[in-house]
């Protein structure tokens, strides 16, 4: 008894001591700790965070929404700064993203082609039809070992949907109805088959032919996942882990839930952790291979595009080449029309001396059979064509020629008859060809073998006389000088006279040349007489200067020519041959 | 948006399912009623700028031979007791059903007197009015056939929730 009294006394004393030391409600200790709270927490904060994160990774979950909100606010308030920070890395981000997109596109294309055109693809289509599921679903079932398609977070008591996530966003539309019905089903099964309420809560897997529904029950919320394929153990484990995290982090929100799920929106992160997929190994290996099918198809498409581009440019090239025909002498392109394929319609005018169109096409590597050609002949005044035509003629007579634009000076030896033929042929060439044949030497000084053909020689003589007589020189009013054209005419007349003298000599005919000057009827008659004489004399002098024997020439001014319609403009020098 | 679980109860053939058929969105066929004893539809409504989503649990009609799953009542925000104005028994049944439901939930109940397009075979008498005032937060006459007051029923429930917040 005394011992008991002693114990009681000790207890009371201890209480008194505690009360003195610690004050009521441990106030002294609390005050001391509070005073040093900052230092104490600072010391262990990092380690505590690390340990907690290691234990259940809940730090990340708690910090994520805080960091998100902070970043959002920071960006809103300092937009310009962030643009400055991000600008340099945006380019590489975009490139990376584009590269990733292309890779994905290649793989998808490959898979699509593989699934569509291969034996396996056709087989899968057939089997999908047999199983009465869509081809896409069947491909997924064959491609993946399993896929968590959709995850629901359901309020235990009401069956209302708190949150849901789905791999395919389109499948999440009726999640609210699904979650309620799921609750009804589990309630039904629990009531129907459970021996007691506790046992009834144990329903955690519903299996159908197409998918498995995994359910994890918690005190305030249920997590349910629709899984296709063969589900491994880690899926229920992940569900359980996420459910526990949600209960831990959102305890108050779950307790106070009265129909507004907004405070639980952040549970999406935990639910997303449950969207696990695993590809079949075989497929994974295949994915590591080069996407040959896609490469082949893309290669073919690329080749076709290249060919089309090549054909297009080639056609364009042909068109441009054909236009170059215009640069050819003696050819005028009237029309070029592109017809179907590589065919063209080509309409040209061509001088007979110009290059043949066929030859030109071959030279320019254009297929002749692709060109529908319409050709019309015309006479070209082009210098090179005239030269070409003349050259063809004089080379026939073994002569050489020197050109100065359209003026041709012929050199060489030629018989008189050939010379006549030559002159006739050259005269046919239109377009302003001038021929100087004064330097031609006549073979043996004898144009013809007179003895054998004296009649022909006489005929030629007369013809030449006639020819010389047709030549006239014209003068300007009150002018006696020779212009360039007149000088040329005098030069040609000199050639004719020389030939005539030769013929005359051969035929033994004496000849003389009368150079007759005339004047118009304006002015004083005496003066006109004088002018006409001066004109005749000046032409005579020119002929003498050109080598004509002066003794064969007689210049005579005949003054005015009193003839109607002639007298007013008769400022001429005429030639007349007198022969005996 | 506020979600609420609402249970529709009543004896067989009083028109629970018909009452809301054209006013709700659903994806489940009515065969669930006979297999599971419940079919769930959804009704969205906005009252005084507050959006509500009612999850309507249409619970299979009960009679003297079959009961109902009391678990289905769990977490209900409102109970709708549907009766048939041509069958006096349906009112008595509804009181009985409500009594059973009260074992699971104390959610407020609304009395719906359906088939108002037909001639009423019973009228609420003084005692009944007294009972009703005690058991139900409101009474409404509806017709599934003409659609009369069906929307009003949901608005009434919405108003009730708004007053609760």
């Amino acid at each position: 008894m005394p011992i008991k009294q002693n114990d009681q006394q000790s207890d009371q004393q201890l209480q008194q001591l505690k009360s003195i030391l610690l004050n009521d409600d441990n106030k002294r200790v609390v005050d001391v700790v509070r005073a040093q709270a900052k230092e104490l927490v600072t010391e262990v904060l990092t380690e505590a965070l690390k340990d907690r994160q290691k234990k259940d990774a809940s730090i990340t979950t708690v910090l994520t929404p805080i960091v998100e909100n902070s970043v959002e606010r920071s960006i809103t308030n300092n937009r310009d700064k962030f643009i400055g920070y991000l600008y340099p890395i945006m380019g590489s981000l975009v490139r990376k993203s584009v590269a990733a997109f292309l890779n994905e596109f290649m793989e998808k294309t490959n898979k699509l082609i593989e699934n569509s055109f291969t034996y396996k693809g056709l087989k899968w289509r057939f089997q999908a039809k047999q199983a009465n599921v869509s081809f896409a679903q069947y491909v997924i079932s064959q491609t993946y070992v399993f896929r968590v398609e959709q995850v629901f977070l359901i309020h235990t008591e009401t069956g209302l949907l708190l949150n849901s996530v789905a791999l395919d966003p389109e499948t999440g539309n009726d999640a609210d109805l699904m979650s309620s019905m799921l609750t009804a089903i589990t309630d039904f099964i629990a009531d129907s088959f459970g021996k007691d309420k506790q046992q009834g809560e144990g329903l955690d897997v519903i299996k159908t032919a197409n998918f498995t529904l995994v359910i994890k029950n918690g005190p305030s919320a249920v997590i349910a996942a629709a899984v296709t394929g063969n589900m491994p153990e880690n899926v229920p484990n992940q569900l359980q882990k996420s459910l526990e995290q949600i209960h831990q982090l959102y305890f108050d929100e779950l307790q106070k839930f009265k129909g507004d799920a907004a405070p639980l929106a952040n549970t999406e992160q935990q639910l997303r952790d449950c969207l696990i997929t695993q590809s079949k190994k075989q497929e994974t290996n295949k994915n590591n291979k080069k996407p040959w099918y896609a490469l082949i198809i893309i290669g073919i498409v690329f080749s076709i595009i290249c060919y089309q581009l090549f054909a297009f440019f080639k056609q364009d090239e042909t068109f441009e080449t054909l236009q170059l025909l215009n640069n050819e002498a003696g050819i005028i392109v009237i029309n070029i029309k592109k017809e179907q394929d590589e065919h063209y319609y080509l309409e040209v005018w061509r001088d007979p001396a110009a290059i043949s169109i066929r030859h030109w096409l071959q030279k320019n590597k254009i297929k002749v059979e692709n060109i529908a050609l319409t050709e019309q002949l015309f006479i070209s005044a082009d210098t090179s064509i005239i030269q070409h035509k003349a050259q063809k003629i004089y080379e026939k007579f073994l002569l050489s020629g020197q050109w100065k634009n359209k003026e041709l000076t012929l050199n060489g030896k030629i018989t008189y008859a050939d010379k006549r033929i030559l002159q006739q042929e050259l005269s046919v060439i239109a377009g302003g060809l001038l021929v100087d044949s004064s330097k031609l030497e006549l073979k043996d000084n004898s144009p013809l073998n007179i003895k054998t053909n004296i009649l022909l020689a006489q005929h030629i003589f007369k013809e030449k006389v006639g020819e010389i007589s047709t030549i006239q020189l014209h003068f300007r009013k009150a002018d006696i000088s020779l212009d360039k054209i007149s000088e040329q005419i005098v030069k040609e007349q000199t050639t004719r006279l020389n030939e005539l003298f030769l013929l005359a000599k051969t035929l033994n005919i004496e000849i003389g040349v009368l150079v007759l000057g005339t004047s118009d009827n304006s002015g004083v008659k005496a003066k006109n007489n004088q002018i006409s004489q001066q004109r005749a004399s000046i032409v005579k002098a020119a002929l003498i200067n050109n080598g004509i024997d002066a003794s064969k020439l007689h210049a005579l001014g005949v003054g005015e020519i009193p003839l109607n319609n002639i007298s007013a403009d008769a400022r001429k020098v005429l030639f007349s041959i007198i022969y005996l | 948006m506020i979600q609420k679980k609402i249970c529709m109860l009543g004896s067989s053939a009083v028109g629970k399912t018909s009452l809301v058929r054209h006013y709700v969105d659903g994806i489940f066929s009515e065969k669930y009623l006979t297999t599971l004893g419940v079919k769930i539809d959804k009704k969205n409504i906005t009252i005084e700028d507050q959006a509500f989503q009612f999850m309507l649990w249409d619970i299979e009609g009960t009679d003297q031979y079959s009961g109902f799953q009391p678990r289905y009542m769990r977490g209900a925000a409102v109970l709708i007791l549907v009766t048939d104005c041509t069958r006096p028994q349906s009112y008595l049944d509804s009181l009985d059903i409500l009594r059973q439901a009260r074992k699971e939930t104390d959610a407020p109940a609304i009395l719906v007197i359906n088939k108002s397009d037909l001639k009423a075979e019973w009228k609420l008498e003084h005692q009944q009015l007294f009972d009703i005032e005690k058991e139900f937060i409101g009474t409404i006459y509806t017709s599934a056939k003409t659609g009369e007051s069906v929307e009003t029923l949901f608005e009434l429930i919405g108003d009730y929730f708004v007053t609760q917040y």
Side-chain angles (χ1 to χ4, degrees), chain A residues 414 416 419 440-448 450 457 461 464 494-509 511 548 552:
Chain A
I414 190 168
Y416 186 80
K419 189 180 176 187
L440 285 177
E441 287 180 43
L442 288 172
K443 288 179 182 170
D444 300 331
N445 283 339
S446 172
L448 285 170
I450 301 298
F461 178 80
K464 187 61 69 181
T494 306
T495 309
R496 293 187 198 98
L497 287 170
N498 278 330
E499 289 168 6
L500 188 70
F501 290 149
L502 273 171
L503 272 169
K505 195 179 172 186
T506 310
L507 292 169
N508 204 20
I509 296 171
I511 62 167
I548 301 290
K552 301 281 184 190

mmCIF file of all heavy atoms in Angstrom, chain A residues 414 416 419 440-448 450 457 461 464 494-509 511 548 552:
data_model
loop_
_atom_site.group_PDB
_atom_site.id
_atom_site.type_symbol
_atom_site.label_atom_id
_atom_site.label_comp_id
_atom_site.label_asym_id
_atom_site.label_seq_id
_atom_site.Cartn_x
_atom_site.Cartn_y
_atom_site.Cartn_z
ATOM 1 N N ILE A 414 36.804 30.872 -168.911
ATOM 2 C CA ILE A 414 35.531 30.307 -169.345
ATOM 3 C C ILE A 414 35.368 30.530 -170.846
ATOM 4 O O ILE A 414 35.883 31.525 -171.382
ATOM 5 C CB ILE A 414 34.380 30.965 -168.538
ATOM 6 C CG1 ILE A 414 33.061 30.245 -168.785
ATOM 7 C CG2 ILE A 414 34.260 32.456 -168.799
ATOM 8 C CD1 ILE A 414 31.958 30.633 -167.813
ATOM 9 N N TYR A 416 33.243 31.414 -174.144
ATOM 10 C CA TYR A 416 32.242 32.459 -174.332
ATOM 11 C C TYR A 416 30.828 31.903 -174.159
ATOM 12 O O TYR A 416 29.987 32.503 -173.498
ATOM 13 C CB TYR A 416 32.393 33.089 -175.742
ATOM 14 C CG TYR A 416 31.484 34.264 -175.914
ATOM 15 C CD1 TYR A 416 31.854 35.521 -175.387
ATOM 16 C CD2 TYR A 416 30.260 34.147 -176.544
ATOM 17 C CE1 TYR A 416 31.014 36.607 -175.495
ATOM 18 C CE2 TYR A 416 29.410 35.233 -176.651
ATOM 19 C CZ TYR A 416 29.798 36.468 -176.131
ATOM 20 O OH TYR A 416 28.950 37.530 -176.244
ATOM 21 N N LYS A 419 30.060 31.297 -170.721
ATOM 22 C CA LYS A 419 29.876 32.552 -170.018
ATOM 23 C C LYS A 419 28.444 33.065 -170.193
ATOM 24 O O LYS A 419 27.822 33.574 -169.246
ATOM 25 C CB LYS A 419 30.877 33.585 -170.552
ATOM 26 C CG LYS A 419 30.895 34.840 -169.723
ATOM 27 C CD LYS A 419 31.885 35.839 -170.255
ATOM 28 C CE LYS A 419 31.790 37.138 -169.448
ATOM 29 N NZ LYS A 419 32.616 38.171 -170.058
ATOM 30 N N LEU A 440 36.811 37.787 -165.756
ATOM 31 C CA LEU A 440 36.822 36.449 -166.368
ATOM 32 C C LEU A 440 37.658 36.490 -167.643
ATOM 33 O O LEU A 440 37.541 37.429 -168.439
ATOM 34 C CB LEU A 440 35.404 36.003 -166.700
ATOM 35 C CG LEU A 440 34.530 35.555 -165.516
ATOM 36 C CD1 LEU A 440 33.128 35.221 -166.025
ATOM 37 C CD2 LEU A 440 35.131 34.334 -164.826
ATOM 38 N N GLU A 441 38.480 35.500 -167.770
ATOM 39 C CA GLU A 441 39.262 35.423 -169.013
ATOM 40 C C GLU A 441 38.580 34.460 -169.960
ATOM 41 O O GLU A 441 38.156 33.381 -169.545
ATOM 42 C CB GLU A 441 40.669 34.887 -168.705
ATOM 43 C CG GLU A 441 41.550 35.885 -168.008
ATOM 44 C CD GLU A 441 42.919 35.286 -167.736
ATOM 45 O OE1 GLU A 441 43.466 34.622 -168.641
ATOM 46 O OE2 GLU A 441 43.411 35.446 -166.603
ATOM 47 N N LEU A 442 38.474 34.883 -171.195
ATOM 48 C CA LEU A 442 37.878 33.982 -172.186
ATOM 49 C C LEU A 442 38.953 33.049 -172.718
ATOM 50 O O LEU A 442 40.059 33.487 -173.035
ATOM 51 C CB LEU A 442 37.264 34.790 -173.328
ATOM 52 C CG LEU A 442 35.978 35.536 -172.929
ATOM 53 C CD1 LEU A 442 35.553 36.468 -174.042
ATOM 54 C CD2 LEU A 442 34.864 34.554 -172.598
ATOM 55 N N LYS A 443 38.605 31.802 -172.781
ATOM 56 C CA LYS A 443 39.596 30.825 -173.239
ATOM 57 C C LYS A 443 39.931 31.054 -174.711
ATOM 58 O O LYS A 443 39.035 31.154 -175.542
ATOM 59 C CB LYS A 443 39.050 29.398 -173.058
ATOM 60 C CG LYS A 443 38.990 28.967 -171.599
ATOM 61 C CD LYS A 443 38.417 27.577 -171.497
ATOM 62 C CE LYS A 443 38.306 27.163 -170.052
ATOM 63 N NZ LYS A 443 37.542 25.925 -169.913
ATOM 64 N N ASP A 444 41.266 31.189 -175.055
ATOM 65 C CA ASP A 444 41.757 31.375 -176.426
ATOM 66 C C ASP A 444 41.216 32.641 -177.073
ATOM 67 O O ASP A 444 41.163 32.760 -178.298
ATOM 68 C CB ASP A 444 41.370 30.178 -177.320
ATOM 69 C CG ASP A 444 41.952 28.898 -176.795
ATOM 70 O OD1 ASP A 444 43.037 28.967 -176.157
ATOM 71 O OD2 ASP A 444 41.310 27.844 -176.968
ATOM 72 N N ASN A 445 40.797 33.588 -176.199
ATOM 73 C CA ASN A 445 40.205 34.814 -176.719
ATOM 74 C C ASN A 445 39.107 34.552 -177.732
ATOM 75 O O ASN A 445 38.780 35.380 -178.569
ATOM 76 C CB ASN A 445 41.264 35.718 -177.356
ATOM 77 C CG ASN A 445 42.063 36.438 -176.284
ATOM 78 O OD1 ASN A 445 41.581 36.551 -175.142
ATOM 79 N ND2 ASN A 445 43.248 36.868 -176.622
ATOM 80 N N SER A 446 38.613 33.384 -177.712
ATOM 81 C CA SER A 446 37.604 33.063 -178.719
ATOM 82 C C SER A 446 36.404 32.416 -178.045
ATOM 83 O O SER A 446 36.494 31.306 -177.544
ATOM 84 C CB SER A 446 38.206 32.078 -179.727
ATOM 85 O OG SER A 446 37.203 31.627 -180.585
ATOM 86 N N PRO A 447 35.326 33.154 -177.992
ATOM 87 C CA PRO A 447 34.162 32.597 -177.325
ATOM 88 C C PRO A 447 33.584 31.396 -178.043
ATOM 89 O O PRO A 447 32.980 30.549 -177.445
ATOM 90 C CB PRO A 447 33.169 33.765 -177.306
ATOM 91 C CG PRO A 447 33.592 34.650 -178.415
ATOM 92 C CD PRO A 447 35.080 34.480 -178.571
ATOM 93 N N LEU A 448 33.776 31.385 -179.303
ATOM 94 C CA LEU A 448 33.181 30.285 -180.071
ATOM 95 C C LEU A 448 34.129 29.828 -181.178
ATOM 96 O O LEU A 448 35.008 30.582 -181.592
ATOM 97 C CB LEU A 448 31.901 30.761 -180.751
ATOM 98 C CG LEU A 448 30.677 30.925 -179.847
ATOM 99 C CD1 LEU A 448 29.600 31.624 -180.649
ATOM 100 C CD2 LEU A 448 30.194 29.578 -179.362
ATOM 101 N N ILE A 450 34.256 30.008 -184.398
ATOM 102 C CA ILE A 450 33.451 30.751 -185.374
ATOM 103 C C ILE A 450 33.266 29.967 -186.682
ATOM 104 O O ILE A 450 32.200 29.993 -187.305
ATOM 105 C CB ILE A 450 34.099 32.115 -185.674
ATOM 106 C CG1 ILE A 450 34.223 32.919 -184.371
ATOM 107 C CG2 ILE A 450 33.294 32.925 -186.708
ATOM 108 C CD1 ILE A 450 32.933 33.250 -183.694
ATOM 109 N N ALA A 457 27.610 33.243 -183.864
ATOM 110 C CA ALA A 457 28.431 34.375 -183.453
ATOM 111 C C ALA A 457 27.788 35.682 -183.885
ATOM 112 O O ALA A 457 27.738 36.644 -183.115
ATOM 113 C CB ALA A 457 29.833 34.249 -184.057
ATOM 114 N N PHE A 461 26.480 38.639 -181.504
ATOM 115 C CA PHE A 461 26.946 40.007 -181.737
ATOM 116 C C PHE A 461 25.762 40.981 -181.693
ATOM 117 O O PHE A 461 25.790 41.989 -180.991
ATOM 118 C CB PHE A 461 27.670 40.080 -183.100
ATOM 119 C CG PHE A 461 28.137 41.453 -183.456
ATOM 120 C CD1 PHE A 461 29.318 41.982 -182.922
ATOM 121 C CD2 PHE A 461 27.384 42.275 -184.317
ATOM 122 C CE1 PHE A 461 29.722 43.261 -183.255
ATOM 123 C CE2 PHE A 461 27.802 43.554 -184.640
ATOM 124 C CZ PHE A 461 28.978 44.057 -184.101
ATOM 125 N N LYS A 464 24.291 41.331 -178.363
ATOM 126 C CA LYS A 464 25.139 42.153 -177.492
ATOM 127 C C LYS A 464 24.961 43.632 -177.824
ATOM 128 O O LYS A 464 24.883 44.470 -176.915
ATOM 129 C CB LYS A 464 26.612 41.714 -177.666
ATOM 130 C CG LYS A 464 27.594 42.316 -176.744
ATOM 131 C CD LYS A 464 27.333 42.006 -175.280
ATOM 132 C CE LYS A 464 27.574 40.569 -174.915
ATOM 133 N NZ LYS A 464 27.279 40.341 -173.480
ATOM 134 N N THR A 494 31.306 48.530 -169.742
ATOM 135 C CA THR A 494 32.680 48.328 -170.217
ATOM 136 C C THR A 494 32.900 46.850 -170.559
ATOM 137 O O THR A 494 33.462 46.518 -171.613
ATOM 138 C CB THR A 494 33.678 48.737 -169.122
ATOM 139 O OG1 THR A 494 33.387 50.066 -168.706
ATOM 140 C CG2 THR A 494 35.114 48.670 -169.637
ATOM 141 N N THR A 495 32.422 45.958 -169.617
ATOM 142 C CA THR A 495 32.557 44.528 -169.849
ATOM 143 C C THR A 495 31.862 44.133 -171.164
ATOM 144 O O THR A 495 32.415 43.388 -171.992
ATOM 145 C CB THR A 495 31.931 43.754 -168.675
ATOM 146 O OG1 THR A 495 32.447 44.264 -167.456
ATOM 147 C CG2 THR A 495 32.210 42.275 -168.779
ATOM 148 N N ARG A 496 30.619 44.640 -171.324
ATOM 149 C CA ARG A 496 29.865 44.287 -172.545
ATOM 150 C C ARG A 496 30.599 44.770 -173.805
ATOM 151 O O ARG A 496 30.689 44.064 -174.813
ATOM 152 C CB ARG A 496 28.464 44.911 -172.490
ATOM 153 C CG ARG A 496 27.600 44.314 -171.406
ATOM 154 C CD ARG A 496 26.165 44.842 -171.496
ATOM 155 N NE ARG A 496 25.486 44.584 -170.212
ATOM 156 C CZ ARG A 496 25.345 45.469 -169.259
ATOM 157 N NH1 ARG A 496 25.779 46.707 -169.427
ATOM 158 N NH2 ARG A 496 24.754 45.145 -168.147
ATOM 159 N N LEU A 497 31.110 46.003 -173.715
ATOM 160 C CA LEU A 497 31.792 46.565 -174.892
ATOM 161 C C LEU A 497 33.035 45.756 -175.242
ATOM 162 O O LEU A 497 33.288 45.485 -176.420
ATOM 163 C CB LEU A 497 32.170 48.026 -174.624
ATOM 164 C CG LEU A 497 30.977 49.014 -174.633
ATOM 165 C CD1 LEU A 497 31.404 50.381 -174.120
ATOM 166 C CD2 LEU A 497 30.391 49.133 -176.043
ATOM 167 N N ASN A 498 33.769 45.354 -174.220
ATOM 168 C CA ASN A 498 34.963 44.540 -174.460
ATOM 169 C C ASN A 498 34.596 43.244 -175.172
ATOM 170 O O ASN A 498 35.277 42.819 -176.109
ATOM 171 C CB ASN A 498 35.663 44.214 -173.139
ATOM 172 C CG ASN A 498 36.561 45.364 -172.679
ATOM 173 O OD1 ASN A 498 37.094 46.102 -173.539
ATOM 174 N ND2 ASN A 498 36.719 45.527 -171.380
ATOM 175 N N GLU A 499 33.519 42.631 -174.687
ATOM 176 C CA GLU A 499 33.060 41.397 -175.330
ATOM 177 C C GLU A 499 32.648 41.654 -176.778
ATOM 178 O O GLU A 499 32.942 40.865 -177.688
ATOM 179 C CB GLU A 499 31.881 40.808 -174.539
ATOM 180 C CG GLU A 499 32.285 40.225 -173.190
ATOM 181 C CD GLU A 499 31.080 39.924 -172.301
ATOM 182 O OE1 GLU A 499 29.921 40.052 -172.768
ATOM 183 O OE2 GLU A 499 31.321 39.565 -171.118
ATOM 184 N N LEU A 500 31.965 42.796 -176.936
ATOM 185 C CA LEU A 500 31.503 43.135 -178.295
ATOM 186 C C LEU A 500 32.689 43.358 -179.241
ATOM 187 O O LEU A 500 32.673 42.909 -180.391
ATOM 188 C CB LEU A 500 30.622 44.386 -178.239
ATOM 189 C CG LEU A 500 29.911 44.753 -179.532
ATOM 190 C CD1 LEU A 500 28.812 43.727 -179.840
ATOM 191 C CD2 LEU A 500 29.290 46.149 -179.463
ATOM 192 N N PHE A 501 33.686 44.063 -178.713
ATOM 193 C CA PHE A 501 34.881 44.306 -179.546
ATOM 194 C C PHE A 501 35.534 42.995 -179.949
ATOM 195 O O PHE A 501 35.962 42.835 -181.092
ATOM 196 C CB PHE A 501 35.897 45.171 -178.770
ATOM 197 C CG PHE A 501 35.438 46.596 -178.574
ATOM 198 C CD1 PHE A 501 35.826 47.315 -177.449
ATOM 199 C CD2 PHE A 501 34.612 47.227 -179.517
ATOM 200 C CE1 PHE A 501 35.407 48.622 -177.258
ATOM 201 C CE2 PHE A 501 34.196 48.534 -179.311
ATOM 202 C CZ PHE A 501 34.585 49.238 -178.189
ATOM 203 N N LEU A 502 35.556 42.037 -178.997
ATOM 204 C CA LEU A 502 36.147 40.737 -179.313
ATOM 205 C C LEU A 502 35.369 40.021 -180.406
ATOM 206 O O LEU A 502 35.935 39.485 -181.363
ATOM 207 C CB LEU A 502 36.178 39.864 -178.061
ATOM 208 C CG LEU A 502 37.410 40.021 -177.171
ATOM 209 C CD1 LEU A 502 37.190 39.254 -175.867
ATOM 210 C CD2 LEU A 502 38.653 39.492 -177.884
ATOM 211 N N LEU A 503 34.030 40.072 -180.203
ATOM 212 C CA LEU A 503 33.166 39.425 -181.197
ATOM 213 C C LEU A 503 33.357 40.080 -182.578
ATOM 214 O O LEU A 503 33.458 39.405 -183.607
ATOM 215 C CB LEU A 503 31.697 39.544 -180.781
ATOM 216 C CG LEU A 503 31.142 38.435 -179.866
ATOM 217 C CD1 LEU A 503 29.779 38.841 -179.340
ATOM 218 C CD2 LEU A 503 31.013 37.119 -180.638
ATOM 219 N N ALA A 504 33.385 41.418 -182.532
ATOM 220 C CA ALA A 504 33.507 42.165 -183.793
ATOM 221 C C ALA A 504 34.814 41.807 -184.492
ATOM 222 O O ALA A 504 34.862 41.629 -185.709
ATOM 223 C CB ALA A 504 33.453 43.648 -183.503
ATOM 224 N N LYS A 505 35.815 41.688 -183.632
ATOM 225 C CA LYS A 505 37.121 41.351 -184.197
ATOM 226 C C LYS A 505 37.065 39.976 -184.849
ATOM 227 O O LYS A 505 37.558 39.763 -185.945
ATOM 228 C CB LYS A 505 38.167 41.368 -183.068
ATOM 229 C CG LYS A 505 39.593 41.397 -183.545
ATOM 230 C CD LYS A 505 40.543 41.429 -182.351
ATOM 231 C CE LYS A 505 41.977 41.261 -182.837
ATOM 232 N NZ LYS A 505 42.881 41.145 -181.702
ATOM 233 N N THR A 506 36.398 39.037 -184.129
ATOM 234 C CA THR A 506 36.279 37.688 -184.651
ATOM 235 C C THR A 506 35.480 37.662 -185.961
ATOM 236 O O THR A 506 35.803 36.937 -186.906
ATOM 237 C CB THR A 506 35.576 36.788 -183.624
ATOM 238 O OG1 THR A 506 36.206 36.952 -182.365
ATOM 239 C CG2 THR A 506 35.605 35.326 -184.018
ATOM 240 N N LEU A 507 34.413 38.469 -185.918
ATOM 241 C CA LEU A 507 33.550 38.485 -187.110
ATOM 242 C C LEU A 507 34.068 39.447 -188.194
ATOM 243 O O LEU A 507 33.414 39.651 -189.224
ATOM 244 C CB LEU A 507 32.126 38.884 -186.701
ATOM 245 C CG LEU A 507 31.374 37.843 -185.836
ATOM 246 C CD1 LEU A 507 30.096 38.442 -185.261
ATOM 247 C CD2 LEU A 507 31.041 36.605 -186.658
ATOM 248 N N ASN A 508 35.170 40.089 -187.796
ATOM 249 C CA ASN A 508 35.771 41.027 -188.739
ATOM 250 C C ASN A 508 34.813 42.184 -189.059
ATOM 251 O O ASN A 508 34.603 42.569 -190.210
ATOM 252 C CB ASN A 508 36.191 40.277 -190.011
ATOM 253 C CG ASN A 508 37.304 41.013 -190.769
ATOM 254 O OD1 ASN A 508 37.989 41.853 -190.179
ATOM 255 N ND2 ASN A 508 37.452 40.713 -192.037
ATOM 256 N N ILE A 509 34.233 42.686 -188.010
ATOM 257 C CA ILE A 509 33.312 43.814 -188.171
ATOM 258 C C ILE A 509 33.959 45.025 -187.510
ATOM 259 O O ILE A 509 34.501 44.927 -186.407
ATOM 260 C CB ILE A 509 31.965 43.500 -187.478
ATOM 261 C CG1 ILE A 509 31.278 42.312 -188.157
ATOM 262 C CG2 ILE A 509 31.039 44.712 -187.467
ATOM 263 C CD1 ILE A 509 30.065 41.797 -187.409
ATOM 264 N N ILE A 511 33.575 48.411 -185.601
ATOM 265 C CA ILE A 511 32.502 49.031 -184.815
ATOM 266 C C ILE A 511 32.979 50.308 -184.131
ATOM 267 O O ILE A 511 34.185 50.490 -183.894
ATOM 268 C CB ILE A 511 31.938 48.076 -183.737
ATOM 269 C CG1 ILE A 511 33.043 47.685 -182.714
ATOM 270 C CG2 ILE A 511 31.293 46.851 -184.328
ATOM 271 C CD1 ILE A 511 32.452 47.013 -181.488
ATOM 272 N N ILE A 548 38.543 51.089 -172.293
ATOM 273 C CA ILE A 548 38.022 51.036 -173.662
ATOM 274 C C ILE A 548 38.892 51.962 -174.550
ATOM 275 O O ILE A 548 39.255 53.080 -174.149
ATOM 276 C CB ILE A 548 36.542 51.499 -173.697
ATOM 277 C CG1 ILE A 548 35.678 50.600 -172.784
ATOM 278 C CG2 ILE A 548 35.986 51.526 -175.127
ATOM 279 C CD1 ILE A 548 35.490 49.184 -173.293
ATOM 280 N N LYS A 552 37.537 54.189 -180.334
ATOM 281 C CA LYS A 552 36.263 53.533 -180.683
ATOM 282 C C LYS A 552 35.064 54.312 -180.150
ATOM 283 O O LYS A 552 33.920 53.935 -180.339
ATOM 284 C CB LYS A 552 36.213 52.107 -180.060
ATOM 285 C CG LYS A 552 37.331 51.187 -180.504
ATOM 286 C CD LYS A 552 37.052 50.632 -181.866
ATOM 287 C CE LYS A 552 38.147 49.610 -182.275
ATOM 288 N NZ LYS A 552 37.988 49.252 -183.688
#
